[in-house]
Amino acid sequence: MQTDSSFTFVLFGGTGDLSMRKILPALYEAHRAGMLAASGKIVAVARHEEDRASYLQWVNEHVKAHVAKSGVDENAWASFVDRIEYVKLDLGRAEDFVKLRDALQDHSGTRVFYLATGPSLFVPICHALASVGLNENARIVLEKPLGYDLRSSNAINDAVGEIFSEEQIYRIDHYLGKEPVQNLLALRFGNALFEPLWRREWVESIQITIAEELGVEARGDFYDNTGALRDMVQNHLLQLLSIVAMEPPHSMDSDSVRDEKLRVLRALKPIDPRDISKVAVRGQYHAGVIRGTSVPAYATEPGVKPDSTTETFVALKVEIENWRWAGVPFFLRTGKRLADRVAEIVVNFRAVPHSALGASALRAGANRLVIRLQPNETIRLYCLAKKPGEGMNLSSVHLDLAFDQFFKEGQMEAYQRLLLDVINGRLALFVRRDEQEAAWKWVEPILNEWAASGKPKPYAAGTWGPAAASAMLAQHGTCWLEEEN
């Protein structure tokens, strides 16, 4: 489906890593699939001394490697780069924004300003756009992190909100654009099968994991002032939790969906600082081996302070104080330099109340739904079935909800879906300000307590984090999914 109308997509940070790895590849895929209006233009903005020809050479060198596995269609690529223009812009020079305004005068349709920059530049860019009248008939996309805490987040939102209305602001969280998350909504709200089971009477626990094999790479300076709680929990993990736990919305329009997510965030049980050691584990990776390769400790990474107490791992036990989820523990986990790269949601259903088929039918985890977000996007339903042969011997089997086998269209990447939503003015998959505030309010007591306490627990790179994270689940009679076998 093609975008609704003409557009001009202005990409601040046009030479940056995010633009090369995610944004421009996503726009290329949308172009190749015929999803962009023919008149739509892409205007890359950066401070480098580039002209259009040298910028397109840079794009050719750095973007092609990040397009889909199917490779680059050279004819589609040639017509895609025809859309791209380049404007050199110094944020400190007001006349450069006049130059940008003049460059956009001949382009019709909705203007999208994507700020693929550091958050410290969000407010100056917005003020400069307003100074030359470019905030009208426009949408602005803000990348995370949006602030360091509730106060700084509010300061950015206040300043941006003076220039753009809430309906113009798109706070992006790319996990919300992933195909399995969209299918989670379809499974829950499009079928009578799952929704009656999606509650405390039938769900024993839920796990949400985002694990990375990589360390901080070249982001040591940024990460050492951020940590896993701010970088991953406050946004990605809490957004996924709210999608899993939300009530059925009235419709799929933007405010109906986000209203229900907000109710979940506001129902999160506050964590008493005195109980943080029982329900929150923080860790920091030491030297170890991942897939046969030795990797250094976090404290020796470039840009990281040798005595750093920044956490690279977080595990939390979360409770939702409402009628549907009271008493059901949600276990959240994220970390760097872990044993595998995986993002998944695991819904563990309760065992049957009585089994005439033997003890195996009563074991925890016999019935579960696993929504894998990365590296392979799949949905699996695990249940028990009889083994072939004599006797009633049960074994775990799984049903693959392989929707890609039923549809000829390939799965759309998260950024592609979200960028098309911005261009078409669809806000449902973007974070509203009150959602963001609720998440910061819940996270801040943990941040404050950790800032005043000792060092994180060590864990070897290539493992699944500190042993305390497993012990926390063991207290509730369960374990992380990879520990079962």
Side-chain angles (χ1 to χ4, degrees):
M1 184 179 71
Q2 194 178 80
T3 49
D4 295 338
S5 59
S6 183
F7 65 91
T8 304
F9 190 96
V10 183
L11 179 58
F12 285 86
T15 57
D17 188 56
L18 180 63
S19 297
M20 298 297 110
R21 289 188 303 108
K22 296 294 184 181
I23 301 171
L24 288 174
L27 289 170
Y28 163 72
E29 293 295 347
H31 167 85
R32 178 165 66 170
M35 294 179 173
L36 298 181
S39 57
K41 294 294 183 181
I42 300 166
V43 180
V45 174
R47 61 185 178 184
H48 296 274
E49 293 286 351
E50 304 274 1
D51 56 22
R52 182 175 183 272
S54 57
Y55 178 73
L56 292 183
Q57 182 179 350
W58 178 269
V59 168
N60 270 289
E61 293 174 359
H62 293 86
V63 174
K64 283 187 174 181
H66 299 290
V67 301
K69 296 178 182 177
S70 57
V72 173
D73 178 319
E74 292 298 338
N75 290 329
W77 180 260
S79 57
F80 172 68
V81 297
D82 281 345
R83 294 180 181 268
I84 301 177
E85 301 175 7
Y86 179 79
V87 174
K88 177 185 178 296
L89 190 149
D90 183 340
L91 295 180
R93 292 168 54 88
E95 56 268 32
D96 280 9
F97 279 85
V98 174
K99 182 171 64 175
L100 175 63
R101 181 192 63 192
D102 293 343
L104 300 181
Q105 279 184 346
D106 295 332
H107 298 329
S108 61
T110 299
R111 289 172 181 156
V112 174
F113 296 104
Y114 196 117
L115 306 194
T117 68
S120 63
L121 299 178
F122 291 173
V123 174
I125 290 173
C126 289
H127 278 298
L129 290 172
S131 72
V132 293
L134 289 178
N135 58 321
E136 299 176 4
N137 189 30
R139 296 165 189 153
I140 187 116
V141 185
L142 304 179
E143 269 284 349
K144 79 171 189 72
L146 201 65
Y148 182 80
D149 52 19
L150 178 61
R151 181 178 179 181
S152 58
S153 175
N154 281 341
I156 293 173
N157 279 316
D158 286 345
V160 174
E162 291 177 357
I163 298 163
F164 295 93
S165 68
E166 184 64 28
E167 291 71 28
Q168 293 177 283
I169 302 172
Y170 292 70
R171 300 174 188 84
I172 197 166
D173 187 324
H174 68 275
Y175 276 88
L176 298 183
K178 289 183 177 289
E179 195 72 51
V181 175
Q182 302 299 296
N183 265 287
L184 173 59
L185 294 172
L187 285 171
R188 282 194 60 193
F189 306 135
N191 300 282
L193 177 63
F194 288 104
E195 181 56 26
L197 305 179
W198 214 263
R199 58 190 65 250
R200 58 187 171 83
E201 291 89 350
W202 302 109
V203 175
E204 188 273 331
S205 66
I206 294 177
Q207 301 174 16
I208 306 177
T209 294
I210 302 177
E212 300 176 272
E213 287 183 334
L214 294 176
V216 295
E217 305 305 298
R219 300 168 69 230
D221 286 332
F222 161 78
Y223 197 88
D224 206 38
N225 291 304
T226 305
L229 191 65
R230 290 185 177 91
D231 190 43
M232 298 298 291
V233 176
Q234 184 272 332
N235 40 69
H236 297 326
L237 280 168
L238 289 185
Q239 280 294 314
L240 290 177
L241 180 149
S242 66
I243 288 284
V244 171
M246 65 188 278
E247 294 295 321
H250 170 69
S251 70
M252 294 307 294
D253 71 72
S254 59
D255 281 330
S256 292
V257 172
R258 297 190 294 181
D259 285 347
E260 298 304 335
K261 288 198 296 169
L262 177 63
R263 289 189 178 97
V264 173
L265 294 170
R266 287 178 172 170
L268 293 177
K269 182 180 179 180
I271 293 182
D272 189 321
R274 295 169 296 183
D275 295 332
I276 283 179
S277 62
K278 301 176 185 177
V279 298
V281 177
R282 63 170 176 158
Q284 185 185 101
Y285 66 82
H286 287 201
V289 178
I290 297 180
R291 301 191 187 278
T293 301
S294 297
V295 296
Y298 172 76
T300 64
E301 298 273 21
V304 175
K305 297 184 290 292
D307 59 347
S308 173
T309 59
T310 297
E311 77 284 351
T312 61
F313 175 94
V314 174
L316 300 169
K317 172 181 172 284
V318 179
E319 295 181 60
I320 300 174
E321 296 184 313
N322 65 16
W323 192 272
R324 181 184 291 265
W325 295 113
V328 176
F330 288 71
F331 298 106
L332 312 184
R333 176 177 58 164
T334 186
K336 291 189 174 296
R337 292 294 191 205
L338 298 182
D340 199 3
R341 174 179 175 263
V342 62
E344 64 187 8
I345 300 164
V346 180
V347 181
N348 290 311
F349 294 99
R350 296 189 186 278
V352 295
H354 169 74
S355 175
L357 302 177
S360 59
L362 296 172
R363 66 179 176 85
N367 302 145
R368 64 161 54 102
L369 185 69
V370 178
I371 302 113
R372 176 68 64 90
L373 307 179
Q374 65 182 31
N376 301 313
E377 299 183 343
T378 60
I379 300 178
R380 283 184 172 180
L381 178 64
Y382 288 80
C383 55
L384 294 177
K386 179 189 174 297
K387 288 183 179 180
E390 186 180 3
M392 184 57 72
N393 298 312
L394 303 183
S395 179
S396 179
V397 298
H398 62 263
L399 307 174
D400 280 316
L401 305 180
F403 44 85
D404 58 327
Q405 296 182 12
F406 293 91
F407 303 103
K408 293 181 180 180
E409 300 88 347
Q411 291 190 29
M412 189 181 294
E413 292 294 326
Y415 268 95
Q416 183 181 341
R417 171 180 288 105
L418 293 173
L419 294 182
L420 289 171
D421 278 0
V422 176
I423 293 169
N424 287 319
R426 297 189 287 258
L427 278 158
L429 299 181
F430 296 85
V431 181
R432 204 167 59 192
R433 176 174 179 169
D434 47 10
E435 291 180 74
Q436 194 173 66
E437 289 181 358
W440 273 120
K441 286 178 181 177
W442 186 82
V443 162
E444 276 208 328
I446 309 173
L447 288 171
N448 295 337
E449 182 65 19
W450 282 355
S453 59
K455 292 185 177 181
K457 298 180 184 298
Y459 65 95
T463 67
W464 282 102
S470 297
M472 182 173 67
L473 270 69
Q475 293 174 357
H476 295 275
T478 188
C479 64
W480 298 105
L481 181 61
E482 76 279 351
E483 295 174 337
E484 279 203 353
N485 298 320

